[in-house]
Amino acid sequence: KDVQKEREPHVYLSKEEVKEKIQSYNSSVTDKLKMTLNANGVYTGFIKVQMELCRPITVQSSQSQGRCAPSNAETAFYLPDGCVNTLHISSTNTVREVIEALLKKFFVADNPAKFALYKRCHKEDQVYTCKLSDREHPLYLRLVAGPKTEMLSFVLREHETGEVMWEAFSIPELQNFLRILDKEENDQLQILKNRYAAYRGKLEEALRGVLKPG
């Protein structure tokens, strides 16, 4: 169930409260992805982000990571659904910074403004998905919720179609999208043609059996 962002006040914790929560968090961790509290009060840790992208992403090849790289060194493709990535971040990192870091980690050339980070949580036997604002801090949410992803998980999605900043896409990206859509359309048409050809063959075979003399 997707819902509008809930207005949740950010509770400012004292250094001692943060220390206690981190100790409790680390005692419950089962995958060794623990949090660390630094002397300045900033803490670091890990979050896992599930990729739920419906549109193709543009990825730079290893030769195109310089500023003067040609545009044809970029490739657009669909990311497998359900792919999960792990990021090491700090408590000061915002949602927007997490999105940028995630895209940079995998050499995604798309504008970060095309994407949004969501939180998925369980409440009253239902699963809710809420879009996070750019200024929220994912590691704080992870600390408060605890390490169990069943209680809280993060999801990267594109903005809804009505929210898409199409001007953020380059002409080569848009052309790649059109080529991919054309290919998908042709593939789906061929699948339908093959399906109905198989039905027709079975019907014709059945008719021949019925009309066969004797």
Side-chain angles (χ1 to χ4, degrees):
K1 179 180 179 181
D2 287 3
V3 298
Q4 292 295 323
K5 178 68 185 71
E6 300 169 354
R7 297 298 178 184
E8 297 177 353
H10 184 102
V11 179
Y12 290 93
L13 304 174
S14 67
K15 186 174 180 180
E16 189 59 36
E17 288 173 325
V18 169
K19 182 179 180 180
E20 291 176 0
K21 281 190 173 294
I22 289 177
Q23 289 174 344
S24 175
Y25 182 97
N26 289 342
S27 66
S28 302
V29 167
T30 58
D31 54 10
K32 298 182 180 181
L33 300 181
K34 296 185 177 183
M35 292 194 187
T36 302
L37 178 62
N38 299 317
N40 59 2
V42 175
Y43 51 96
T44 59
F46 299 85
I47 63 169
K48 295 181 179 180
V49 181
Q50 183 170 345
M51 316 291 276
E52 291 186 357
L53 305 180
C54 299
R55 294 187 288 272
I57 57 173
T58 304
V59 177
Q60 296 177 335
S61 68
S62 58
Q63 293 83 12
S64 67
Q65 293 165 22
R67 290 186 178 180
C68 300
S71 60
N72 60 5
E74 297 178 346
T75 304
F77 68 94
Y78 282 95
L79 195 67
D81 190 30
C83 177
V84 177
N85 294 293
T86 302
L87 284 179
H88 185 251
I89 62 173
S90 81
S91 56
T92 62
N93 289 134
T94 62
V95 164
R96 180 52 46 191
E97 290 171 335
V98 166
I99 293 174
E100 292 172 354
L102 187 61
L103 299 181
K104 183 178 180 180
K105 179 178 180 180
F106 296 96
F107 306 112
V108 177
D110 297 286
N111 191 324
K114 302 173 188 176
F115 303 92
L117 192 67
Y118 290 74
K119 71 172 184 178
R120 182 175 290 156
C121 53
H122 289 254
K123 287 185 179 180
E124 299 175 355
D125 297 327
Q126 289 191 351
V127 179
Y128 293 87
T129 303
C130 307
K131 184 167 72 172
L132 299 173
S133 68
D134 286 349
R135 294 184 178 275
E136 290 191 79
H137 298 86
L139 195 62
Y140 167 81
L141 298 175
R142 178 80 278 162
L143 176 63
V144 172
K148 293 184 179 179
T149 54
E150 295 83 1
M151 299 302 297
L152 172 74
S153 58
F154 296 104
V155 180
L156 184 72
R157 293 179 178 176
E158 302 96 342
H159 284 294
E160 298 298 329
T161 303
E163 302 174 339
V164 175
M165 299 172 58
W166 293 108
E167 64 275 13
F169 290 84
S170 66
I171 291 177
E173 285 179 312
L174 295 173
Q175 291 173 336
N176 272 330
F177 295 166
L178 287 175
R179 282 194 290 269
I180 290 174
L181 290 175
D182 287 340
K183 182 179 183 303
E184 285 191 339
E185 181 181 10
N186 292 331
D187 290 345
Q188 291 299 319
L189 285 173
Q190 190 58 50
I191 290 172
L192 286 174
K193 288 179 180 179
N194 292 341
R195 182 184 301 168
Y196 283 103
Y199 289 160
R200 185 179 296 107
K202 291 180 180 179
L203 285 171
E204 291 174 349
E205 183 179 349
L207 282 172
R208 285 195 296 271
V210 170
L211 300 176
K212 186 177 181 181

